Amino acid sequence: MWGLRFFDVSLRDGLQSMKRIYKFSEKKDLLHKIINKYNPESIEVGSIVSTKVLPQMHDSLKLYEYCRELQLNNCYLLTPNLKSVKKGLYHNVNNFSLITSVSDEFQKKNVNKSLDETKLELTKIYDELQKSQVDNIKLYISCVRECPISGQIDLNFIIDEIEYYFNKYEDINELCLSDTCGTLTFTDFKIIIDRLSMFYNTSMIEKLSLHLHKNKDEFHTHNIIHYAYLAGVNKFDVTCLDGGGCSVTMDSKSMNNNLHYIDYENILLNI
């Protein structure tokens, strides 16, 4: 589809917003649907988190092991802290999704750590993953451009934070800019991309991907994707479900769904 590379988050971000706990057999069926119908480049199949916080993710390691049985080498697990990373390494996970944000308040509510504390832990995590020579590392940078708790974040601060992670962790394969609230405007996104392109050329842009939530004004989503692609960003998170959103920091009424495969088809058809 127009040369885009899709990272499917249905089994993680899509399901974590659902109140009903899916059976393992249902997750396997959903996995096969994703593979057979959409065939994305990569699939995030769950997260290693406390089952008290996210009971939906209780069998994520089991699902990852099932992917291994199917000889799927493109499956990821999200690991929000050092403890979960070590657990993933113990179970021979090869592809890791890590998380941070550009909001101190979001970090405290989401992972019980400040931004500074998160950076210290990420350094320890990065060292562990380097020693273990894992295949792929993806880092979500959430709250671009708004935090669900504290509101809009200064654009210069956002750009500085993206630059920090790019320069600090050179072996991270992907820096995923996450529009957590679904309110990122095209104008603000253009400023971010233009500034990063100016100072880093293709070296930065090739590492960027986008995790977008549905914006009430489709103009912004349409133009963000179009401009990102023209700038050289070709990796996008996607779902096959009507769901998505950070249920730890947001209530169900304020969460906006992840972009669906159909959304990308409709956007690209109109370009």
Side-chain angles (χ1 to χ4, degrees):
M1 190 190 297
W2 222 42
L4 301 189
R5 299 161 61 189
F6 287 122
F7 186 96
D8 194 293
V9 295
S10 309
L11 287 157
R12 201 274 301 172
D13 198 19
L15 286 187
Q16 76 178 18
S17 63
M18 305 289 186
K19 291 183 178 180
R20 181 176 73 84
I21 306 300
Y22 276 53
K23 298 176 183 177
F24 184 66
S25 59
E26 292 176 298
K27 292 183 180 181
K28 288 198 297 182
D29 289 343
L30 180 56
L31 174 67
H32 284 283
K33 175 184 176 181
I34 292 167
I35 297 166
N36 296 325
K37 185 173 182 179
Y38 300 107
N39 190 30
E41 182 175 271
S42 304
I43 307 169
E44 201 167 60
V45 298
S47 55
I48 304 176
V49 292
S50 166
T51 54
K52 292 181 180 179
V53 177
L54 284 175
Q56 185 75 266
M57 298 293 114
H58 74 282
D59 52 5
S60 292
L61 278 167
K62 184 178 179 182
L63 188 59
Y64 186 88
E65 181 58 37
Y66 178 70
C67 293
R68 206 191 322 265
E69 292 173 10
L70 296 177
Q71 296 184 330
L72 295 175
N73 299 316
N74 60 340
C75 294
Y76 284 66
L77 281 178
L78 186 142
T79 49
N81 52 45
L82 182 59
K83 181 180 178 181
S84 60
V85 166
K86 287 183 176 180
K87 187 172 183 179
L89 290 172
Y90 177 79
H91 288 275
N92 298 313
V93 174
N94 293 318
N95 305 313
F96 286 80
S97 296
L98 311 178
I99 56 173
T100 186
S101 77
V102 293
S103 166
D104 210 49
E105 291 81 359
F106 182 87
Q107 284 304 105
K108 289 173 181 176
K109 188 168 183 179
N110 195 36
V111 294
N112 296 315
K113 286 181 174 61
S114 67
L115 278 180
D116 287 340
E117 290 169 333
T118 297
K119 288 175 179 177
L120 289 173
E121 184 166 48
L122 278 173
T123 298
K124 295 176 183 177
I125 288 171
Y126 184 70
D127 290 343
E128 285 287 331
L129 295 179
Q130 276 197 314
K131 285 189 295 184
S132 300
Q133 297 182 319
V134 303
D135 291 339
N136 295 294
I137 308 170
K138 172 175 181 169
L139 176 64
Y140 286 103
I141 304 176
S142 296
C143 300
V144 178
R145 151 94 149 84
E146 181 180 356
C147 169
I149 302 162
S150 60
Q152 285 204 334
I153 311 294
D154 180 73
L155 274 175
N156 289 321
F157 180 75
I158 292 171
I159 294 167
D160 287 344
E161 290 295 282
I162 296 169
E163 290 178 338
Y164 167 82
Y165 291 111
F166 175 76
N167 292 317
K168 179 74 173 177
Y169 306 112
E170 61 181 18
D171 289 336
I172 284 182
N173 307 84
E174 185 177 338
L175 297 173
C176 185
L177 309 186
S178 176
D179 172 23
T180 304
C181 295
T183 55
L184 180 63
T185 66
F186 169 64
T187 301
D188 288 341
F189 176 75
K190 185 176 183 299
I191 291 171
I192 294 170
I193 290 297
D194 286 352
R195 187 88 60 83
L196 295 174
S197 298
M198 183 185 303
F199 290 107
Y200 294 95
N201 298 316
T202 59
S203 61
M204 167 74 83
I205 301 304
E206 287 174 350
K207 281 198 174 186
L208 294 183
S209 65
L210 291 182
H211 179 101
L212 300 174
H213 291 261
K214 291 193 177 183
N215 195 305
K216 292 180 180 179
D217 188 343
E218 293 182 357
F219 164 86
H220 295 294
T221 305
H222 179 287
N223 285 283
I224 286 170
I225 292 171
H226 188 202
Y227 195 77
Y229 180 78
L230 292 178
V233 179
N234 65 356
K235 293 173 283 189
F236 297 87
D237 285 6
V238 67
T239 185
C240 63
L241 300 174
D242 293 323
C246 184
S247 57
V248 177
T249 62
M250 306 170 74
D251 59 48
S252 58
K253 293 181 180 178
S254 59
M255 287 190 290
N256 293 315
N257 292 348
N258 300 130
L259 287 190
H260 196 286
Y261 287 95
I262 295 172
D263 295 315
Y264 282 100
E265 289 179 6
N266 291 337
I267 289 168
L268 297 178
L269 284 172
N270 290 302
I271 291 177

